[in-house]
Amino acid sequence: MYCAVNNKVMPVEEATISIRDLSILRGYGIFDFFRTDQGIPLFLDDHLARLSYSSNKVFPKASLDIKAVKDTVLRLMTYNNKPLSGIRIVRTGGVTPDGYEPGTPNLIITQEDISFPSDEKYKNGVKLISYEFQRELVEVKTISYMTGIWLQDRVHEAGAYDILYHQDKKVSELTRSNFFIVDNNETLITPAVNILKGVTRKKVIELAGKFMKVEEREITLREVSEAKETFLTGTTKRVLPVTQIDDSIIGNGKPGPKTKAIMEAFEKLENEYFDNNRKN
Ligand SMILES: *Cc1c(COP(=O)(O)O)cnc(C)c1O
């Protein structure tokens, strides 16, 4: 397998960055992650736009050449010839002179295997546990997943799939996914602030808007427990039904009709994207 460091493509075994990089010493860096399927990078421009946003927030003085990044991604894909994959683009704090000051950012692009949740999870939904937490620089896709990774044992012990974060009795998102509820008026609601704006979230809002009312606003823990349906969204999860949160069963404990309609609409959108972006 090949990767790219600072836009130079090389075998993964030959790639190195300094142990003085701030990503290693302080967890300082940003990234983005998207899927390729049938050799087509899904929603690539949306992900590059978000990468640019994260980079400008965290490294305002070190501009990122997005066109060069895109060229490298496409070049890397031809080297690896791996139609189904995840591509991760990481921009690190760089080699620090004193253990704290950022240096010149390093850009690492890797292509890796991905797996989707099992059919059983799409069919029956998953359980979440809730946890009071707010990510740092919440609108940026930072590389720091300290709390989520640290809590993995607790997730497994609870027989859960992931964690729903909340603060001041309002829910925000999961460790790596966004969160939606369908309320008793059949309105789709997703938090507007204190979240990472997922590309999948954006697509779902657009799609659902064609057949139901959609609101971006705060959601209280109480609204979640009274919701008819809940689901999560993310690049490797797509639209995944959530049927239990802590001890609270959502709706009748089965994925609901609106969730199913949105899952179907999202799958259709993906297929349209692949059809429109296939080179031949
Ligand atoms: C990546 C991520 C998401 C989901 O974004 P997608 O673009 O849909 O994959 C949501 N929340 C957090 C914290 C994330 O890191």
Side-chain angles (χ1 to χ4, degrees):
M1 286 297 283
Y2 287 82
C3 67
V5 178
N6 296 326
N7 292 318
K8 194 166 169 262
V9 176
M10 61 188 77
V12 171
E13 305 75 44
E14 288 172 24
T16 56
I17 63 162
S18 169
I19 59 168
R20 301 276 310 154
D21 193 291
L22 263 194
S23 59
I24 293 171
L25 297 182
R26 306 274 185 190
Y28 198 71
I30 58 113
F31 79 110
D32 219 286
F33 182 84
F34 54 88
R35 270 194 284 139
T36 72
D37 201 334
Q38 305 165 42
I40 298 160
L42 183 64
F43 309 137
L44 177 60
D45 289 336
D46 294 283
H47 286 280
L48 291 175
R50 187 174 62 192
L51 178 74
S52 180
Y53 176 84
S54 296
S55 185
N56 288 335
K57 282 273 173 190
V58 171
F59 305 113
K61 292 185 196 139
S63 70
L64 179 62
D65 183 345
I66 289 293
K67 195 180 166 300
V69 174
K70 186 169 178 171
D71 286 349
T72 305
V73 165
L74 298 176
R75 207 147 40 89
L76 186 64
M77 285 176 63
T78 61
Y79 270 83
N80 285 329
N81 190 21
K82 190 177 177 59
L84 182 69
S85 74
I87 293 189
R88 189 179 298 273
I89 308 173
V90 185
R91 201 167 195 225
T92 72
V95 175
T96 174
D98 62 355
Y100 203 69
E101 279 287 316
T104 304
N106 282 309
L107 184 76
I108 303 163
I109 308 178
T110 57
Q111 191 169 13
E112 47 199 82
D113 286 324
I114 49 164
S115 57
F116 297 106
S118 64
D119 291 347
E120 186 274 327
K121 288 190 171 65
Y122 286 107
K123 195 164 157 267
N124 298 323
V126 296
K127 173 187 174 180
L128 305 179
I129 55 173
S130 64
Y131 189 80
E132 186 161 7
F133 179 66
Q134 169 74 72
R135 286 172 45 250
E136 281 186 285
L137 301 180
V138 68
E139 78 282 16
V140 174
K141 204 159 172 87
T142 69
I143 60 169
S144 173
Y145 288 79
M146 200 79 192
T147 301
I149 293 173
W150 172 67
L151 286 171
Q152 275 186 109
D153 281 349
R154 202 181 300 196
V155 172
H156 298 147
E157 278 156 24
Y161 179 72
D162 204 351
I163 301 159
L164 178 63
Y165 290 140
H166 61 88
Q167 192 151 61
D168 302 327
K169 298 199 157 60
K170 282 156 210 123
V171 299
S172 54
E173 61 186 338
L174 283 76
T175 59
R176 295 151 292 164
S177 317
N178 292 113
F179 184 70
F180 290 76
I181 69 169
V182 177
D183 74 0
N184 281 305
N185 302 316
E186 307 279 303
T187 301
L188 183 67
I189 313 168
T190 192
V193 296
N194 297 331
I195 57 162
L196 189 277
K197 294 217 165 145
V199 172
T200 322
R201 172 187 180 276
K202 182 174 113 183
K203 303 293 177 192
V204 161
I205 289 170
E206 286 167 10
L207 285 172
K210 292 175 189 161
F211 59 87
M212 65 193 294
K213 194 157 173 260
V214 182
E215 290 177 3
E216 290 179 69
R217 62 155 172 90
E218 62 181 41
I219 303 176
T220 62
L221 280 170
R222 195 198 166 98
E223 284 178 290
V224 173
S225 63
E226 291 171 353
K228 264 181 133 168
E229 304 178 29
T230 61
F231 62 85
L232 62 89
T233 64
T235 291
T236 55
K237 284 122 196 165
R238 299 195 259 208
V239 178
L240 183 62
V242 173
T243 45
Q244 183 176 352
I245 300 170
D246 299 321
D247 294 329
S248 168
I249 303 287
I250 306 298
N252 64 2
K254 293 237 181 315
K258 295 292 184 205
T259 304
K260 285 184 186 163
I262 292 165
M263 288 166 75
E264 223 166 85
F266 186 73
E267 196 180 325
K268 195 156 156 260
L269 177 76
E270 281 187 347
N271 288 332
E272 279 165 15
Y273 186 95
F274 294 134
D275 287 343
N276 294 336
N277 288 273
R278 200 169 281 126
K279 301 182 216 66
N280 46 30

